């Protein structure tokens, strides 16, 4: 493994209503890794991201940033595009720089470059409502990239998109990642997406939120359509799927109905 | 005779509306229990194609109005009812023209009171809302008093306010200031309620994002909360504009000042005392007209400000 970038030691999060969102979580995220967190809703995968980003306090434990990284160099992409509807694409992307006090003239190049990366040059003056769901997500990613982050946290960014847009954005994201060598922590409930994108998949279970499996996906990049159709890909998916199933069955009084289960494993 | 008059009137109205570009199609949408009225100008009216497109939206309400007016006129003439009980619309119109010289200056005074109260309400309402959203404790402590201010009947406290203001502001301006305060009390609450709601309904993901990028409180307010509150604020503005006028008129009724600086309510009052009912109707008509103009102006402002991004103002093909 590469140098550790972020180390989570014994992190727990208990909400005020008594829900244990995370219990004694230990996780070392290596520099340049593409890690996916997979699990049913309520397993605390989003909570992990929020803790890393410093959005909300841990109940116990600590998060360490290594190798000269800091929280300042991270960017967050939410499930919804979360764009400001009153601002143009260009102004939305500029937001992080504006908040950091960068002047308009100085941020112009960075904004243009970020939009270029997500293939949205020419849409600078559009308003979010004029864009499709996939394009909004691209704007959201461009906004994350505009500060040239080293760590990218993504919370089910493509969860609300249709399958075709999702797979297109998946391969675009991989292209960008191989160019820029970010450290990516990617939360998803989609096993297939996780296997396709990551070199490491962390499987989590709910009540209490914990890690149940840590699967390395050894297939080298760039990953093509062939990988998606290979037996190896199916094998990885099966492995993760059975880890999820075991965790769900192991729970006392598992009340997951078949439809719930189908939704969780979808 | 009547028919010829009506035809002429319809043509006149068409010209007026085509020229003014104020055909309104009103729709309302509910946002968290608050009703915001939305009215959109339909088309830029020149030429025949637009006329055809406008006609159902425009001619239907105008037609209903004219029918009612015609029925009213006919009923008044046929039943030979006395003008001091119910004047016909034609007589009201005539009176409006002949009394314009005395009524219009009064309307202007009422409009000044309304405008002053409205501007003060907008500024103070905005400041109070921003203050409320800076701390839950401030909102908790003071919001009930905003409600109390709203629910206090302005008719009941207007005499008190007039007396109190006279102690502080002597001279001619005293009544004006007192009336502005009364109208302000009525106009303030919708702005506070709507703007507070708007400031608090900023997208939580965006709030997280601002937090992530270490935005200051001021940056969050300026770049996120205020723009998010804009549609709510403008909705409050439209309610408040009408209320400011009502507040001004009600307060004038109580104040009942004569002399040079008397508003339109005084004219209504004095006309009814003197049994000049057509004149009263004419003054009433002017007040209503002013209310409609205020509403339309604020609607146009709202559409202008939100036109590019907000659902309520975006024109859709389907």
């Amino acid at each position: 493994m590469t140098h550790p970038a972020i180390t989570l030691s014994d992190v727990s999060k208990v909400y005020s209503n008594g829900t244990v969102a995370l219990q004694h979580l230990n996780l070392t995220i290596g520099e340049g890794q593409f890690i996916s967190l997979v699990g049913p809703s309520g397993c605390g995968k989003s909570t992990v991201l929020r803790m890393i980003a410093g959005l909300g306090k841990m109940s116990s434990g600590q998060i360490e940033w290594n190798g000269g990284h800091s929280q300042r160099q991270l960017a967050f992409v939410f499930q919804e595009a979360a764009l400001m509807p009153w601002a143009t694409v260009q102004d939305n992307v500029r937001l992080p720089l504006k908040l950091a006090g960068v002047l308009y003239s100085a941020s112009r190049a960075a904004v243009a470059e970020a939009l270029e990366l997500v293939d949205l040059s020419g849409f600078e003056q559009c308003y979010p409502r004029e864009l499709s769901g996939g394009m909004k997500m691209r704007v959201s990613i461009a906004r994350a990239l505009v500060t040239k982050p080293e760590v990218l946290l993504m919370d089910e960014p493509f969860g609300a998109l249709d399958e075709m847009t999702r797979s297109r954005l998946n391969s675009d994201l991989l292209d960008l990642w191989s160019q820029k060598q970010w450290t990516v922590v990617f939360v998803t409930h989609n096993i297939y997406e996780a296997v396709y994108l990551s070199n490491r998949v962390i499987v989590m279970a709910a009540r209490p939120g914990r890690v149940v499996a840590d699967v390395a996906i050894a297939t080298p990049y760039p990953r093509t359509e062939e990988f998606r159709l290979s037996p190896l890909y199916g094998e990885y998916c099966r492995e993760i799927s059975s880890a999820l199933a075991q965790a769900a069955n192991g729970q006392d009084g598992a009340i997951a109905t078949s439809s719930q289960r189908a939704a969780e494993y979808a | 005779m009547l028919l010829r008059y009506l035809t002429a009137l319809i043509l006149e109205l068409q010209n007026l509306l085509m020229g003014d570009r104020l055909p309104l199609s009103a729709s309302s949408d509910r946002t968290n229990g608050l009703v915001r009225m939305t009215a959109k100008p339909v088309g830029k009216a020149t030429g025949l194609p637009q006329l055809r497109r406008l006609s159902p939206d425009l001619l239907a309400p105008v037609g209903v109005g004219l029918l009612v007016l015609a029925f009213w006129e006919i009923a008044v003439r046929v039943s030979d009812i006395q003008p001091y009980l119910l004047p016909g619309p034609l007589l009201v119109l005539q009176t409006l023209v002949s009394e314009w010289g005395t009524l219009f200056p009064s309307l202007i005074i009422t409009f000044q009171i309304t405008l002053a109260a409205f501007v003060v309400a907008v500024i103070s309402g905005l400041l109070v809302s921003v203050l409320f959203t800076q701390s839950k404790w401030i909102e908790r402590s003071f919001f009930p008093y905003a409600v109390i201010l709203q629910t206090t009947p302005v008719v009941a406290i207007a005499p008190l306010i007039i007396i109190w203001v006279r102690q502080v502001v002597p001279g001619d301006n005293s009544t004006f200031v007192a009336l502005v305060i009364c109208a302000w009390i009525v106009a303030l609450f919708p702005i506070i309620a709507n703007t507070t709601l708007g400031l608090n309904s900023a997208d939580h993901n965006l709030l997280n994002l601002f937090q992530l990028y270490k935005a200051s409180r001021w940056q969050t307010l300026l770049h996120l909360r205020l723009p998010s509150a804009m549609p709510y604020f403008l909705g409050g503005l439209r309610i408040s504009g009408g209320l400011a006028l009502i507040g001004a008129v009600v307060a004038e009724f109580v104040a009942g000042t004569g002399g040079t600086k008397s508003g339109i309510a005084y004219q209504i009052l004095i006309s009814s005392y003197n049994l000049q009912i057509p004149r009263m109707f004419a003054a009433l008509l002017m007040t209503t007209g002013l209310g409609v103009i205020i509403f339309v102006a604020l609607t146009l402002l709202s559409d202008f400000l939100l036109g590019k991004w907000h659902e309520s103002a975006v024109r859709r093909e389907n």
Side-chain angles (χ1 to χ4, degrees):
Chain A
M1 197 171 101
T2 51
H3 299 293
I6 307 161
T7 314
L8 290 83
S9 325
D10 205 25
V11 171
S12 296
K13 172 75 183 179
V14 184
Y15 285 108
S16 51
N17 62 8
T19 313
V20 183
L22 285 177
Q23 199 176 47
H24 305 304
L25 182 96
N26 288 292
L27 182 64
T28 303
I29 297 160
E31 214 175 305
Q33 269 189 337
F34 198 124
I35 290 192
S36 286
L37 306 179
V38 181
S41 13
C43 73
K45 50 193 195 303
S46 294
T47 310
V48 175
L49 275 201
R50 295 178 59 84
M51 296 293 124
I52 296 175
L55 298 169
K57 290 194 179 83
M58 292 173 276
S59 303
S60 67
Q62 61 175 9
I63 296 175
E64 214 180 310
W65 291 74
N66 320 101
H69 290 289
S70 80
Q71 245 180 21
R72 287 234 166 246
Q73 290 153 319
L74 70 77
F76 205 111
V77 179
F78 298 94
Q79 176 165 16
E80 297 94 39
L83 303 177
M84 303 177 291
W86 55 85
T88 57
V89 164
Q90 179 171 238
D91 290 339
N92 267 292
V93 173
R94 180 176 294 117
L95 178 72
L97 298 175
K98 185 156 91 178
L99 293 177
V102 179
L103 291 175
Y104 184 91
S105 51
S107 60
R108 189 175 289 172
V111 171
E113 194 190 327
L115 282 171
E116 174 88 52
L117 282 177
V118 298
D119 210 10
L120 273 182
S121 303
F123 290 92
E124 287 85 355
Q125 301 303 330
C126 288
Y127 283 85
R129 62 168 189 83
E130 298 168 307
L131 306 177
S132 67
M135 287 162 92
K136 280 182 197 161
M137 211 59 227
R138 284 172 193 273
V139 177
S140 185
I141 293 171
R143 179 178 62 191
L145 301 184
V146 79
T147 54
K148 303 203 168 39
E150 287 167 3
V151 177
L152 202 54
L153 307 178
M154 306 181 92
D155 189 1
E156 299 191 37
F158 309 138
L161 302 176
D162 62 89
E163 199 50 45
M164 258 137 19
T165 313
R166 177 203 286 259
S167 86
R168 168 102 196 273
L169 286 175
N170 276 343
S171 35
D172 289 358
L173 178 63
L174 272 192
D175 283 349
L176 282 175
W177 175 72
S178 52
Q179 280 173 45
K180 303 283 176 180
Q181 292 301 315
W182 305 303
T183 304
V184 180
V185 186
F186 190 95
V187 164
T188 179
H189 53 255
N190 186 321
I191 297 170
Y192 308 102
E193 185 177 56
V195 171
Y196 176 70
L197 291 173
S198 336
N199 44 28
R200 193 175 158 205
V201 177
I202 309 288
V203 183
M204 296 181 72
R207 291 173 291 264
R210 64 198 187 278
V211 173
V212 291
D214 187 341
V215 183
I217 314 289
T219 310
Y221 298 90
R223 290 178 180 168
T224 55
E225 251 344 92
E226 266 94 84
F227 173 55
R228 279 195 216 248
L229 304 170
S230 69
L232 187 62
Y233 180 76
E235 195 54 49
Y236 281 130
C237 295
R238 210 172 356 259
E239 188 183 343
I240 292 162
S241 186
S242 68
L244 281 167
Q246 263 173 20
N249 291 334
Q251 267 173 27
D252 35 43
I255 40 164
T257 63
S258 59
S259 67
Q260 261 179 334
R261 217 167 270 160
E264 283 170 1
Y265 301 159
Chain B
M1 164 66 199
L2 191 68
L3 197 68
R4 216 167 62 199
Y5 170 73
L6 272 178
T7 327
L9 196 68
I10 288 174
L11 281 174
E12 200 55 46
L13 256 171
Q14 269 181 4
N15 278 339
L16 194 76
L17 288 162
M18 306 298 280
D20 281 16
R21 278 210 255 137
L22 285 179
L24 294 175
S25 75
S27 66
S28 71
D29 56 327
R30 284 185 167 268
T31 314
N32 297 327
L34 286 164
V35 182
R36 304 198 328 265
M37 292 298 295
T38 318
K40 301 162 191 175
V42 187
K44 294 194 171 75
T46 39
L48 207 66
Q50 270 82 9
L51 175 69
R52 208 171 293 137
R53 227 181 66 214
L54 292 176
S55 35
D57 270 345
L58 175 64
L59 292 183
V62 169
V64 169
L66 288 177
L67 270 177
V68 169
L69 288 179
F71 176 76
W72 179 3
E73 184 70 39
I74 292 164
V76 164
R77 281 173 191 237
V78 169
S79 66
D80 208 18
I81 195 164
Q82 291 305 303
Y84 60 80
L85 287 176
L86 181 67
L90 283 178
L91 182 59
V92 171
L93 212 62
Q94 274 168 14
T95 317
L96 183 66
V97 172
S98 61
E99 295 282 337
W100 185 263
T102 55
L103 291 182
F104 189 69
S106 291
L107 188 72
I108 290 299
I109 286 164
T110 304
F111 179 64
Q112 282 168 349
I113 294 166
T114 306
L115 192 68
F118 181 66
V119 169
V120 176
V122 169
I123 294 169
S124 55
L126 205 56
L127 288 178
V128 167
S129 311
V130 168
L131 210 62
F132 276 0
T133 44
Q134 291 311 297
S135 139
K136 260 284 167 252
W137 274 105
I138 300 179
E139 188 179 346
R140 274 193 205 117
S141 315
F142 290 98
F143 197 81
Y145 294 102
V147 178
I148 289 172
L149 197 65
Q150 161 74 4
T151 47
T152 309
V154 76
V155 191
I157 54 167
L160 275 176
I161 290 173
I162 292 165
I163 293 168
W164 289 340
V165 170
R166 205 157 282 163
Q167 309 300 314
V168 186
V169 191
D172 269 2
N173 284 328
S174 162
T175 317
F176 182 79
V177 173
L179 295 181
V180 168
I181 291 174
C182 291
W184 167 75
I185 289 174
V186 181
L188 180 65
F189 188 73
I191 294 183
I192 293 183
N194 268 23
T195 313
T196 306
L197 180 68
L199 288 169
N200 282 329
S201 53
D203 182 347
H204 70 278
N205 280 331
L206 277 169
L207 281 168
N208 278 336
L209 197 77
F210 272 66
Q211 194 189 337
L212 199 70
Y213 288 118
K214 314 268 186 279
S216 66
R217 191 173 270 250
W218 172 247
Q219 281 178 319
T220 311
L221 178 69
L222 198 67
H223 298 307
L224 179 58
R225 288 194 188 273
L226 282 175
S228 304
M230 200 60 160
Y232 297 84
F233 168 69
L234 290 168
L237 227 56
R238 270 189 283 186
I239 301 170
S240 193
L243 283 181
L245 177 63
I246 293 173
V249 169
V250 167
E252 278 177 5
F253 259 99
V254 177
T257 46
T260 46
K261 283 209 144 192
S262 49
I264 197 75
Y266 174 74
Q267 301 291 356
I268 295 175
L269 215 54
I270 214 74
S271 306
S272 86
Y273 286 152
N274 297 342
L275 279 181
Q276 295 172 308
I277 304 302
R279 189 169 182 276
M280 183 185 150
F281 267 86
L284 214 54
L285 188 67
M286 288 175 93
T287 316
T288 311
L290 181 59
V292 171
I293 289 170
I294 290 172
F295 180 81
V296 169
L298 291 173
T299 300
L300 291 178
L301 175 76
S302 172
D303 278 1
F304 172 73
L305 289 175
L306 301 180
K308 287 206 172 89
W309 64 276
H310 198 257
E311 275 301 325
S312 70
V314 170
R315 283 176 213 178
R316 294 203 178 276
E317 290 295 317
N318 53 1

